[in-house]
Structures are given as structure tokens and as C-alpha cells.
Amino acid sequence: MSIPGLGQITAQQSSAPATRTVALHPFSEWRFQISPASTAACRLVAGTAERDGTELAQNKTYSLTRCRSKIVSFTGATLEVSGEFESENVKHSPTPAASPFVAYLNLHFLLQARRTQASQGGNGQGPRVMICGPAATGKSSLAKMLIGWATRQNEQPVLATVDPRDGMLALPGTLSAAVFATVMDVEDPEGGVGVGCTPSSGPSAVPVKLPVGYYFGREKVEDDEQLWKDLVRRLGSSVRAKTGGDQGVRRGGVVIDTPAVDFKKGEVKVKNEDGQQQVEQGGGVEGLMHVVREFAVNIIVVLGSPDLEAELRSRNNKSTLGEPIEIVNLDKPDGVVEQDRQYLLSSRKALIKDYFFGDSKRALSPSVQSFSFDDVVIFRAVDGLDLDDPPQVLERAEITEEMSHWTLAVMDASVNDPLETIRQAPVIGWVCVSDVDKDRRRMKILSPVSGRLTRPMVWGRWPEPYVNLLG
Amino acid sequence: MDDIGEEVAADFREALQDLSTNARFEIVTLTNIAKENANHGLAIAEVLTQHIKEAPASKTLPALYVLDSIVKNVPTPYALFFGPKLYQIFMGSYTKVDSATRRKMDEMLKTWKEPIAGSISKKPVFPPDLVRPIENALLAARNAYQDKFQSQQQHLMRGRPVGPPSRATPTPPMGRAYQPPPHGQYPPHGDQPYPMRSGNTPNGMPHRATPPSAGPHAHYQHPPPSQGPYGAPAGINIDKLKDDIQQLIQLGTAEFTQNMHDDSIKTRLGALLKLQEILQSQNLPQEQLMAINDQVAQLAVNMRAAATQPQPPPPSSYHPAALPPYNTTTHTPTPPVVVSQQFAPPAAPVAAAVAPAVQLPAVLAAALGRPASNVAPVPVAAAPPPPPRPATTGGTLSLDSILGQGALAALLAAKKPATPQQTATPVPPPAALAALRSPPQQTPPFQPPPPTQPAANPLTQNPSALLAMLRQSGLLGGTPSSAPAPIIPSLPPPDPNIITLTSASLKLPRLHLLPYLLDHLGPPCSQCGRRFPTSEEGKKKKTAHMDWHFRVHQRVAEAEQRGQHRSQFVSELDWIQSHEEPDVDYNAPSGEGEEGSESDDNDWSGGVRGGRKGGKGKKEEKKKRWIIAPDEGGVGGVGDGGAGVNKVCPICQEKFQSRYLEEVQDWVWMDAVVVGGQPGMGGGGKRVYHGSCWDEVNAGVQAGQQQQGLTLLGKGKREREEEGEEEIRGGVKRLMR
């Protein structure tokens, strides 16, 4: 019934949609987008299905929120779904051969064969795979799938992200790596690599993943290329040390997700005389080659860019370990969602919130403490406009209101360490400045754990702060 | 309190902690316990109050339903016991739960204003002067929320408790934020004598086997005998509605005078006036009143501008038909039929599916499947044990309930292992698939047509016959537990050279490899989908894995009762040396064994560098010292009103910092001692000092501190202050364990 004149006030809450059944043929995908404000549930009723390489358990109700993802079935499946979706559709593949997953699966089986070979003879070093390509070609997705599949076959591969925008098991702006030996979290909005999957003081129903991360604090590699390269080197050497010390991990190899490089033939302007000039067009490729060197990459998977493939082929073709570097270009799967800025922004916010407050599965209690300006040591990168200067170094940041709502990285270093050491130190966590009182020279800091902040903190320039976490 | 009372209370507390769904029989059981032990009512009421306060958000609603049920069935003495604390209980819960639960709470609150259904007494469940402050606070909160609604905080705050304006304090664990009642007429603690002693009072209410509040508990099997208190029609009070509208009209008029040119205000005002007219002249049926009430409530949200406490209830929170899409639907007060549709798999078949596959001791499997015992809840068990399913499925024997879910699929798959045409088998169009809703029919389309397939369809009406046929054909062994056995444990690894790293080779479908990621890995774990081979070693691993799940479920339940926080990441060296061990729990870097990972000794300076080694002993020596901040209840904390107490330590001349201490539910000064008497009494000669300053001055400067020098005195004090606080927090946690 309607009441005269009151109809214009629309209800915010739509009534809950009923449960539907989604039938997936072999090699078809169910794609969905769920807004941060709503949740949806999904249950595998029959068949097999997986998200990002991790199988769904049958008859378990998974609850999903704020994600743009897909559930794939290779053998056919029936899903029961309910909840609110921004959009969802089933993408059928007429024949398996038409599905991009065929190539991905084959790639996995090839890597698996290489792992077996490596442990049977040679140095026991599994494949180091770098995945690269232009934006929105499904790089991270493929990386997650390769990791998920390997984990299923009892491998312990390393997943490394050198794309500062992603924030794998870390906040955005961080380069990180972790060994994956256990089931990934299907319910995690980031597909099992969100910061919500990192350890907390309590138990976790899905095994947590332990990352090592280095804080870049910028959105794009070009924003501070020298630091990025330094951090890639640090990350690479940590991963090398890890694979060197652990046979299982060595066999598992490394999968590296890289920043988008949109390379077009004829636009390369590599100026060898001046390293800094490479930033212009071919800079991305140079960055990739840096990754290839630091991680001793021996397999490069290019997604959807024959030009990039050709360019990489023309470069150095021996890995750091002396093996030939194999390069392959795979088609960009259609239907990869171009992540708009708004979505990325909101998911970054959500990640930061997850870090401090936990996700739907576990509520965390961060502490808010008040510190005197003199009790904290906060550094910030010197704005290096002068390109001739040697690498930008840190300086003590002046604490102002401007710092409110920024997240600061807490570095695993001592405040008295050389600045260069602090800059390249691994991150042990983040805090969020919730309030700065300049008159009283005190600031309120939201921190996952309580206690003094004796470690140096670094104030990055990205991700941008957003409204008060404490509401 | 006597011993028996304590015992009863302890038992009650334990039972409450196991309550994770609003299963009707559990609530009834708890109600009966409360009824039978009405002479220990005060203790039980306290336990329940405490539990509601401390329970994690997910367990709050069931606990509130217990309160609701108790109060409605045993109003004497419980309504009296809960009454004074009602505001804190309700608002405290309201701040921590999500919006779906809030809607349930709104509905429950409405019933509290009504007489108990089926009772002769016309008295409401709780007197209006107890319920109204809550309603006022909620309305104010909604208004405040509405103001903020357009801002981008929306998803930030979703389901997130929002505390009082924050001060220099740690956030109370779980974000529980208790606010004093706005009118201040309720005593903060419920231990004052009550007019009626429970033991001597005969229960005025005849006990009903079916509590009137059972209607809302989702698993109630029969339609409520009377119009349940949560049922839609009962909730509307015309007078109140008229009142509300009158208020809105006043508000709207004021708004209109301020903003004459806004047409929307004008329209709305006109509509409201018309509505008022209609209400006064006509006798509208209940459902129309409901709709009007909804609209008015929303309008109120839109219009009123007052702010005390920002909370995000959805504007349409009065709408009883708005079901949230996720699991919490079990809490919904809708008729049971709806619920049963949303929870198609009842617990029993799930448990049956777990049992053969898991190959665990039956006890463990049962524990995993059924939470009703004293075991921590597991996700599978989210569906309550006595589901109304049989009624909806027509009582036929389900094949899945005999074999376990998916067992048939496994069997059929095993019969023809790993042939390329297996996955290439043409499948029926999606529409047909969607029509095949019943489990026995669900799996076959994806499997090679087995010999029995043609017969299967006519037989689905009678699964037993199908079963018999399967047995006959040798597909099925005598017992269901043999189901997963035929899966081939391992195959020779694929030839490494068949795939080369070229686009062409990678694009070639190799479906025969697919099973290496699926069936050849063995049957999946029912909890997480991880597969384990059926070999001896695999079984051992799976047992360990299931034990791990079990342990974690238990500990998750425990951990919810304490505060949790994100751990710091490990250092490079620890990361390199760490070893990922499936089914072994992660230990935080402080590394004190299994318990260590959950200890509260994990701060920024601890862990890897051992910066605080030995600090703990020192902490333990330190006696906790704090006093209630003299300015009671004032938002400004220590600010002004402190009745003659010094706000500055006479020794170091620093102001006392007040913090909120969960344990005492009040603001305190940490590391403070009173010398000469109680500060609250306002007498002269009493002074407050920093405990540490006092010690230093009185005990003389100790050798260690001498080295630090005088300049560090202040810092040292602050450090101890924090340690003292940690100590207290640790103590609280220990208490809660």
C-alpha cells in the first residue's frame, strides 16, 4: 500500500533476495561483484568449484563481501547463492579449449613438472615465474591461481608482489612476499591474499599467512624508482634466503606479480647514459628486468601483450642462475574488470580497516593511545625534486594536523639506525594517526597492539588518508 | 551469595557460553533453569547480564533472546532484576551488533512495551519508563547516523561498534561502549536490595511449555498458539503513532518556516498533515498501520536532528520482512517455513556426510557435526539440530542422508576414472539443471552416464529402490562408509615433457590432467576443501587436519571472549627461518609455545628483538594502582568537577591522565595513589600522587633510576603507567578465561 506523499522516501534496504541456484558447466565461471556494504552467501551443492585456485568445500556456506571475483568450475558445479550483488553473471565456455583456464592449467602442470624435475636433479630450485602485462589483464588472478593450485598439490611456493598498489598480505604501498603452504581463504575479499589473512593474537579458522613486507609508500613505481628498486632487491634477497634455507620452498619456486606495464612498440626511450631518464616509456620494462635479475626469474609469463613479450625477448636471456629465460605470451582473458578508481579507493580503505579492526570473521580490538610528540619518531622521504641528487633519504617529519588519518609504517629497525637502514627495513606493522593536538604536543594513535612505539615510523605518500577510522 | 547460588550461576554461565544460535530448545532449557532456580535469580540475572555484555557480537542476540524469554516466562523476579540494567544491557548490545541483529533487537524492544502474550495481566513486559529511554536513545542515534549517512563513512562503520567520543584511552575490547542512561535515574549497579525477594515469591505466571517469545526463535516448529509478541500486528500502538506524527509535523513546520522555498519539505508536511487526518478519522487495519509506522519511522530518521551517539541502523529497521541475506537469518522472527528453505541442508545429513569421509572417532565427528553438546560450535553446525526440513521435503528418504552428500557423485566418478570424455560429456541446459533441485538428481549431469542412469530418474521418488539397484549392480558396497574407497590413491606423475612453454602448447586442452588437481588428491575436507589422499599417510594427515579444525573452532570460541588484536609482522630473519607447517597453529614471534601466541605480551617493542626481555617479571611485581577519576561521568574526564582533588601530581607537576578501564566500567587515573584518604569524600589534607613519583620520593632514588637521570623521570613514570595498565588488562583477560 502507498501512503500519499510519502512515497518519495525510498527504503535503503532492499528485501533479501531468495536463494538461487547457479549451474556451471565445465570450464565456465560465475562472475560477481559485491559492494562493500552488502554480503552474499555461496554454497557449493554439487561438483567442484574454486576461487582463485582454492577449492570450495561442498555444502559449506561461504559468505562473501566487497569483491569482484569469480568462481570457476572445471568439472561442472551447482552453486546456491543468495544475497545482494552489484552484478553477477555466468560466463559459459562453449568448449574447454575456448577457456583461458586451459592455458593457466597447462602452465600449472608445466610448473609442476619443473618442480618435480628440480627436486630429482639439478639444484632443487623450482621455477621462478614472473607474471607481467598491461593493466587489467588478470595478472594477480593468475598469480593467485598458480599459487593455489601448487598448494593443493602440496607444494610450498612463494608469492611475491612488487606492485605497490596491491598490498599482498599487507597494506597497499608495500612490496611483500609469503610462503603459501596452506589453504587460502576463499571468503577473503582479496582472494586469500588480503591483509585480513595475516596473523592476529587469536586463532584463525583459515590458516594465517606470514608475510615479509617492505614499505614503499607510493602508488607508482615511477614515484620513487630508486627506492622501489632497492626494496625489490631487499625482497628478492629475503626470498632467496628463504628458498635457500627451506627445501620445500625451494622446490615450490616463486611466483611474482608485477606492476602493470603498458608497453607499445616504438615508444621505447631507453637512455643508457642517464638511468633516471628511463622513467618515460620503457621504464616499466627496465623495472621488470630488475625484478628478473633480483628474483633470478627463469619463466616470464606475459599476459596480453605481444609487444612486451618481444621487448623482453630482446633483453638479457639468461637468468641470474645461468638458466635460459623462457618467455611466453598468453592471451588476455576477456572480461577482466577494469578496476575503477572509486572501487580501488574503497577497497584500500576496507583493507586498512580490516588490518586494525579485523574482518567479519574476527573482530580485533586495536588500541588508541596518546603519545607526546617527543615519544614517537616519524620519518618521511625527502621530496627529491633534484634528480641529480643521490637517492632520496628520510628526514624527521614535522608532526602537524596534516598527518591526521594517515597510516604510518612501523619499521623493524631502531630509531638510531642509519636512515638508509630504516628506509629499507621490513615493516612490522602499521599505525594510524587519529588525531594531532599541536598545542598540547600530543597525538592519538590507533595501533593494532598496545604499548610504546619505540620503533621508527615512516610516513608514506600513499595510500592517501581517509576519514577517521574511529568514526 | 551462597555456594549453591554460585554453582547455579557458574553452570548457567557455561551453558550461555555454548549458546551460539537462537535454537529454541536451548533457549527454553535456559529459561527453565532460570525458572527452577528463581531463588538464585539475582545471581543468574547477573551472569546473564555479564554474558550479554561480554559476548561477541554473534552471540549477543541469542543471549538477548534468553533474557527476553526469561523475563516473559518468569517475570517475577527476573523483570525486576533486569529492569534497572535494561538500558545498559540493551544499548551495550546495540552498539556492538550488526544492523541485521539490530532490527531483531528493535522488534524485541517493541514487544517489551506490550503485555505478555497469553497472560491475563495487562502490564507490559517492562514498565514504559524503562523502555522509553532506550527508544529515545535509539531515535537520537538514528538521527545522528542519518546526518552522517551521506558521508563516506557508511561502509566503514558497518557492523562496527562505535564507542563514546574517544579520549586518550585504549578502545575497550570488542568496542563495547557503555553509556550511562541519559536521565541518570538508574543505579549503575544492580546489587541494591530489591523490593521482592525471589525465594519467597511464588511464580505468578503458570509455566508454559511454549514460551510466548518462541515465535521469533527461528526453529520453533509450530505456529505460535497466539499472535506472538513479535508477530507483525501486535507491535503498533496507534496513539504512539499519532504522537510521532504530531512531533514530525511540528518539526516539519519549523523546517518549513526556515526554508520556505523547499518544495520537498512542503510536500512532506502536506503528506504528514493528511496522514494525521486519515488516522484520526478512520480506523485503519493493522497492516496499513504497520506500513505507516515504517514510513513515519523513516521520516523521523530523516528529519530529526539531534546527536548523541552515532550508530548505523538501517533506516528501514522496523521492516519485519527485510531479511538479511546471510546466516543470521536463523535469528529472524519469520515463520519457520521460510527459514527452512534458506537452510536446505539440515545438520543431520551434513553430519552424515562428515562421518564417513572424515574417518575420525565417531565422537569427534559427532562433535564436529553437532554443537549441542558442550563442544565449541563449528560452521557446519550453524544449522540447528532439529530442523523443520522433513515437513518441507515431504518426508521422503533422501539418498544423501543415507550415503552422505555427494557420495553418489564420488561413486559414479570412481567407476569411470579420468577419461577425457568425462568432462566433455554434454550437459543439460542450465534451465534444466536449475530445475533439478533435489540432491539425488543434482550430481549426475556432470558425470558420465552410468549404467543405472536411465533408471535413476523414475526412481528418484524412491531412493531406497535406487540404492538397492546400485547395490545390485555392484556400484555400491553394503555400507555407506565404503563410498570414498574406490578413488585411486595415486597415479604416476604426468610426463613432464608433454607441455612446452609456448602459447600453442599451453592452449591445448589436456583434460586428463585435471584430476591431478581434484580427485587424485583424494576426497576433500568437509571444512575447508583441502584434499587428502586415501593412503595410510594421507589418512593420518587428515586426522591431524581434522583435529586442527576442531581445536581451532574451540579456540575461536574461547578467543571471542577475550580481545584479539593483529600481530606485528615478523622480522626478516624470523621470516626466513619460519617454516610453513600445515595444520600447525601459527605462533606469534614472542614464541612462548601455543599459549604464547595468544598472550597479551605482544607489543611493538617486544618480540623479535627481545627489547622487553625480563620486563614481565617487573610488571608482576608492580601492584596495580589506580583510582576512579574524581569527575564522575563527565565527558571532559578529569576536567573540572573533581571536588577539591588536585589534578596535578604535586611531585612531577604533570596532570593525571584518565583512561577508561573496562574492568571497572569507569574512568580511572592510572598509577595514582591517594595519600591521606578518599578523594571523593572531598576532605582536606588528601592528595593524589603518581604512584611512581610517590615511591621515588619516599623510597629514595634507586640506583638504576639514578642512572637515568632526572630528565627521564617523567618518561619512566609514563612507562610504568602503561605497564600498570597492561597488567590490569592482563588480569581482566585472565579472569575471563
Side-chain angles (χ1 to χ4, degrees):
Chain A
M1 90 161 231
S2 69
I3 299 172
L6 287 177
Q8 70 262 41
I9 306 151
T10 49
Q12 289 280 342
Q13 176 91 26
S14 64
S15 61
T19 308
R20 312 179 293 291
T21 306
V22 174
L24 291 179
H25 296 189
F27 281 91
S28 58
E29 351 168 356
W30 173 53
R31 292 177 175 164
F32 52 90
Q33 298 192 4
I34 306 169
S35 83
S38 48
T39 31
C42 167
R43 189 169 69 92
L44 174 65
V45 181
T48 63
E50 52 188 71
R51 179 181 173 197
D52 293 331
T54 303
E55 246 193 300
L56 272 64
Q58 263 199 8
N59 284 315
K60 183 177 163 157
T61 303
Y62 291 95
S63 89
L64 302 162
T65 185
R66 74 159 163 94
C67 55
R68 299 181 169 183
S69 187
K70 57 187 184 296
I71 285 175
V72 189
S73 177
F74 299 130
T75 61
T78 310
L79 301 171
E80 235 177 52
V81 300
S82 62
E84 283 176 67
F85 297 90
E86 283 182 324
S87 75
E88 51 138 347
N89 63 309
V90 173
K91 185 177 165 269
H92 288 295
S93 179
T95 60
S99 160
F101 295 104
V102 167
Y104 298 168
L105 282 167
N106 281 328
L107 180 60
H108 162 72
F109 287 118
L110 177 121
L111 296 179
Q112 201 54 29
R114 297 286 169 89
R115 288 178 184 124
T116 314
Q117 274 176 333
S119 62
Q120 278 164 359
N123 53 8
Q125 183 83 55
R128 281 86 56 211
V129 186
M130 180 176 83
I131 301 171
C132 56
T137 46
K139 293 183 294 296
S140 303
S141 222
L142 174 57
K144 275 182 272 185
M145 273 185 267
L146 290 178
I147 292 292
W149 288 331
T151 308
R152 264 154 80 176
Q153 293 201 281
N154 291 320
E155 301 294 343
Q156 305 195 358
V158 173
L159 175 59
T161 301
V162 294
D163 182 358
R165 262 172 280 210
D166 271 3
M168 184 216 42
L169 297 174
L171 292 193
T174 311
L175 316 185
S176 56
V179 176
F180 284 77
T182 49
V183 165
M184 285 151 87
D185 189 353
V186 177
E187 294 180 318
D188 178 54
E190 323 299 321
V193 298
V195 78
C197 305
T198 59
S200 72
S201 64
S204 167
V206 177
V208 292
K209 313 290 182 285
L210 192 57
V212 65
Y214 299 88
Y215 189 59
F216 183 53
R218 305 275 197 158
E219 182 180 11
K220 299 191 203 86
V221 173
E222 303 89 87
D223 291 343
D224 192 345
E225 196 170 9
Q226 191 52 51
L227 176 59
W228 183 78
K229 284 189 168 177
D230 289 345
L231 296 185
V232 167
R233 187 173 300 124
R234 283 296 298 261
L235 188 64
S237 73
S238 285
V239 169
R240 260 204 312 281
K242 178 90 191 168
T243 53
D246 191 323
Q247 221 164 7
V249 179
R250 181 153 72 236
R251 177 192 146 103
V254 186
V255 175
I256 306 146
D257 188 13
T258 60
V261 173
D262 204 356
F263 180 82
K264 297 261 167 24
K265 217 173 240 163
E267 291 182 15
V268 210
K269 286 184 203 161
V270 184
K271 295 184 181 159
N272 287 332
E273 316 304 317
D274 184 357
Q276 300 292 333
Q277 287 294 310
Q278 292 169 348
V279 174
E280 290 199 299
Q281 272 295 336
V285 178
E286 193 42 51
L288 292 180
M289 291 315 291
H290 182 66
V291 174
V292 167
R293 284 190 294 273
E294 295 304 329
F295 284 86
V297 167
N298 65 344
I299 293 178
I300 301 177
V301 178
V302 183
L303 284 174
S305 177
D307 283 354
L308 182 59
E309 183 201 4
E311 174 64 22
L312 288 169
R313 275 190 198 285
S314 71
R315 305 287 181 111
N316 191 356
N317 55 8
K318 280 262 189 273
S319 84
T320 318
L321 299 179
E323 311 137 296
I325 299 179
E326 295 171 87
I327 303 178
V328 72
N329 179 51
L330 294 178
D331 295 341
K332 159 191 172 175
D334 57 330
V336 176
V337 194
E338 195 97 36
Q339 314 280 43
D340 55 284
R341 276 202 88 77
Q342 198 54 44
Y343 173 78
L344 290 172
L345 188 72
S346 73
S347 79
R348 277 198 298 274
K349 284 176 189 173
L351 269 181
I352 295 176
K353 203 194 80 196
D354 281 0
Y355 175 73
F356 289 106
F357 293 100
D359 47 28
S360 53
K361 275 173 289 184
R362 57 185 156 177
L364 304 180
S365 320
S367 76
V368 184
Q369 288 168 285
S370 173
F371 292 93
S372 156
F373 284 4
D374 308 321
D375 288 352
V376 291
V377 180
I378 301 171
F379 291 102
R380 172 164 232 198
V382 179
D383 247 329
L385 295 170
D386 192 356
L387 289 174
D388 292 332
D389 242 4
Q392 304 173 15
V393 188
L394 300 172
E395 61 181 359
R396 275 296 279 268
E398 195 196 336
I399 302 174
T400 60
E401 267 89 1
E402 207 188 314
M403 203 183 267
S404 297
H405 313 319
W406 279 89
T407 45
L408 314 177
V410 183
M411 310 303 258
D412 185 25
S414 145
V415 287
N416 300 321
D417 281 340
L419 292 177
E420 198 51 49
T421 310
I422 292 174
R423 197 170 79 125
Q424 295 187 25
V427 188
I428 55 168
W430 287 267
V431 297
C432 181
V433 179
S434 69
D435 189 33
V436 176
D437 184 346
K438 238 192 144 180
D439 301 331
R440 292 175 57 226
R441 289 184 58 77
R442 290 194 79 80
M443 60 199 298
K444 268 186 232 157
I445 289 182
L446 178 72
S447 156
V449 297
S450 60
R452 289 172 304 157
L453 280 166
T454 49
R455 307 296 184 95
M457 290 175 279
V458 171
W459 179 15
R461 286 179 160 78
W462 191 85
E464 59 286 306
Y466 65 103
V467 280
N468 203 339
L469 268 177
L470 294 172
Chain B
M1 201 189 303
D2 56 328
D3 287 351
I4 305 164
E6 260 170 55
E7 223 169 85
V8 168
D11 286 351
F12 199 75
R13 182 183 300 121
E14 242 168 64
L16 274 174
Q17 279 168 357
D18 291 338
L19 180 75
S20 57
T21 63
N22 45 348
R24 179 179 163 260
F25 76 91
E26 287 185 50
I27 290 171
V28 171
T29 310
L30 284 164
T31 308
N32 285 336
I33 295 173
K35 180 182 151 83
E36 280 152 23
N37 295 288
N39 49 339
H40 303 298
L42 187 57
I44 287 180
E46 258 167 23
V47 164
L48 183 53
T49 309
Q50 197 65 20
H51 174 74
I52 293 174
K53 207 163 75 185
E54 285 166 1
S58 61
K59 290 184 177 179
T60 304
L61 188 66
L64 281 168
Y65 277 156
V66 172
L67 185 151
D68 180 76
S69 171
I70 290 178
V71 165
K72 283 173 181 163
N73 280 289
V74 204
T76 315
Y78 286 101
L80 291 170
F81 291 157
F82 287 119
K85 283 175 276 188
L86 199 61
Y87 184 90
Q88 285 100 320
I89 294 172
F90 195 89
M91 293 313 291
S93 308
Y94 209 86
T95 47
K96 67 179 168 179
V97 298
D98 60 15
S99 52
T101 313
R102 286 179 182 173
R103 234 168 292 144
K104 305 284 179 338
M105 290 179 66
D106 288 335
E107 285 155 17
M108 180 159 60
L109 183 65
K110 265 195 247 169
T111 70
W112 286 352
K113 298 185 294 187
E114 310 286 326
I116 299 165
S119 145
I120 324 142
S121 159
K122 286 283 168 266
K123 274 193 343 198
V125 180
F126 284 111
D129 60 328
L130 289 179
V131 179
R132 204 173 303 122
I134 301 178
E135 287 184 316
N136 291 342
L138 290 184
L139 198 60
R142 267 185 207 116
N143 292 337
Y145 171 66
Q146 196 64 22
D147 289 347
K148 287 194 169 185
F149 192 69
Q150 304 306 335
S151 81
Q152 36 186 330
Q153 299 207 339
Q154 177 191 1
H155 57 279
L156 261 186
M157 323 233 317
R158 185 177 55 87
R160 191 58 67 194
V162 178
S166 65
R167 301 185 232 181
T169 70
T171 311
M174 310 303 296
R176 269 175 240 126
Y178 289 92
Q179 293 204 324
H183 308 303
Q185 73 260 50
Y186 307 118
H189 302 290
D191 43 7
Q192 81 276 30
Y194 283 91
M196 256 185 273
R197 274 315 295 172
S198 49
N200 310 328
T201 315
N203 275 332
M205 294 294 302
H207 177 69
R208 284 176 293 273
T210 309
S213 58
H217 308 316
H219 316 302
Y220 183 51
Q221 294 189 10
H222 322 282
S226 65
Q227 197 54 265
Y230 297 138
I236 306 295
N237 180 335
I238 300 188
D239 291 333
K240 184 177 174 297
L241 193 56
K242 284 179 185 166
D243 262 22
D244 287 349
I245 293 174
Q246 182 59 39
Q247 282 179 30
L248 286 177
I249 289 173
Q250 282 166 4
L251 264 172
T253 319
E255 213 179 329
F256 184 61
T257 49
Q258 279 169 13
N259 200 348
M260 304 278 269
H261 303 293
D262 193 337
D263 276 349
S264 68
I265 297 176
K266 207 166 142 188
T267 327
R268 202 166 49 194
L269 193 58
L272 279 168
L273 286 166
K274 208 166 175 182
L275 186 63
Q276 194 183 30
E277 208 180 291
I278 294 173
L279 271 180
Q280 270 156 4
S281 59
Q282 293 172 34
N283 222 347
L284 291 175
Q286 279 288 334
E287 54 272 5
Q288 293 196 6
L289 285 179
M290 273 296 282
I292 295 174
N293 195 41
D294 279 2
Q295 297 275 20
V296 169
Q298 278 182 32
L299 205 54
V301 164
N302 286 331
M303 285 175 68
R304 299 197 190 187
T308 52
Q309 188 184 18
Q311 283 164 1
S316 66
S317 51
Y318 284 113
H319 205 293
L323 296 182
Y326 37 91
N327 261 355
T328 47
T329 35
T330 33
H331 305 169
T332 180
T334 29
V337 186
V338 178
V339 173
S340 72
Q341 279 169 352
Q342 292 190 338
F343 286 86
V350 174
V354 171
V358 165
Q359 289 161 355
L360 271 184
V363 185
L364 185 52
L368 276 168
R370 302 175 60 98
S373 56
N374 256 355
V375 187
V378 286
V380 201
R389 166 85 179 272
T392 52
T393 51
T396 49
L397 185 54
S398 153
L399 186 57
D400 279 25
S401 67
I402 305 166
L403 289 177
Q405 196 89 11
L408 179 60
L411 269 175
L412 297 176
K415 188 70 181 171
K416 272 196 180 180
T419 48
Q421 65 264 43
Q422 179 183 343
T423 43
T425 311
V427 290
L433 269 178
L436 302 175
R437 288 288 306 261
S438 77
Q441 292 169 309
Q442 244 159 16
T443 44
F446 304 120
Q447 307 301 335
T452 53
Q453 180 74 9
N457 261 348
L459 278 171
T460 37
Q461 257 62 36
N462 187 355
S464 317
L466 173 58
L467 205 63
M469 276 195 70
L470 286 170
R471 285 218 177 88
Q472 235 172 10
S473 68
L475 259 174
L476 192 62
T479 55
S481 61
S482 66
I487 289 170
I488 300 159
S490 67
L491 283 188
D495 179 5
N497 299 318
I498 53 168
I499 311 173
T500 55
L501 198 65
T502 57
S503 298
S505 174
L506 287 176
K507 277 180 189 162
L508 217 62
R510 292 182 182 80
L511 299 180
H512 59 287
L513 293 178
L514 210 46
Y516 284 98
L517 279 175
L518 298 166
D519 294 341
H520 293 334
L521 294 172
C525 159
S526 61
Q527 305 274 305
C528 65
R530 203 174 136 199
R531 291 177 182 264
F532 291 88
T534 43
S535 64
E536 264 318 299
E537 198 196 349
K539 280 179 189 164
K540 229 183 267 172
K541 273 189 180 161
K542 184 153 189 176
T543 310
H545 177 74
M546 294 313 287
D547 284 351
W548 175 83
H549 271 305
F550 180 71
R551 258 194 335 266
V552 164
H553 283 309
Q554 224 170 8
R555 287 171 46 199
V556 165
E558 282 168 26
E560 278 174 354
Q561 293 167 29
R562 296 173 252 157
Q564 300 177 62
H565 57 79
R566 180 83 53 205
S567 303
Q568 67 180 55
F569 293 176
V570 294
S571 71
E572 231 164 50
L573 198 65
D574 283 9
W575 183 76
I576 290 163
Q577 286 167 354
S578 71
H579 180 64
E580 287 288 311
E581 194 81 64
D583 305 329
V584 170
D585 308 315
Y586 169 74
N587 282 330
S590 55
E592 287 171 31
E594 200 160 297
E595 286 307 306
S597 66
E598 288 165 44
S599 75
D600 31 70
D601 192 28
N602 189 6
D603 69 7
W604 289 118
S605 41
V608 285
R609 300 212 163 192
R612 279 270 200 99
K613 281 265 164 71
K616 205 163 182 179
K618 200 176 112 201
K619 263 191 259 169
E620 259 145 25
E621 286 170 23
K622 188 92 195 154
K623 282 191 73 176
K624 59 173 184 184
R625 284 188 294 195
W626 46 265
I627 61 167
I628 303 281
D631 181 19
E632 310 241 75
V635 181
V638 198
D640 319 296
V645 178
N646 55 309
K647 286 146 222 146
V648 174
C649 172
I651 297 171
C652 69
Q653 297 299 323
E654 260 189 62
K655 267 193 164 186
F656 293 105
Q657 299 286 326
S658 62
R659 293 157 188 267
Y660 189 79
L661 197 59
E662 183 78 6
E663 188 185 26
V664 288
Q665 299 280 310
D666 211 339
W667 293 85
V668 300
W669 285 351
M670 296 305 300
D671 187 31
V673 287
V674 179
V675 182
Q678 285 298 314
M681 311 286 176
K686 291 156 199 167
R687 294 192 75 74
V688 185
Y689 293 89
H690 278 126
S692 41
C693 297
W694 182 255
D695 286 353
E696 275 167 32
V697 170
N698 287 289
V701 183
Q702 287 171 6
Q705 280 150 350
Q706 213 161 20
Q707 283 172 4
Q708 287 183 359
L710 278 172
T711 46
L712 282 180
L713 198 74
K715 196 166 182 183
K717 173 184 59 59
R718 193 168 297 112
E719 181 186 328
R720 278 188 298 278
E721 204 174 294
E722 272 159 18
E723 282 173 3
E725 187 195 358
E726 274 174 30
E727 165 69 15
I728 287 167
R729 216 180 295 145
V732 175
K733 280 177 189 161
R734 276 192 291 279
L735 273 175
M736 283 161 64
R737 267 178 213 176

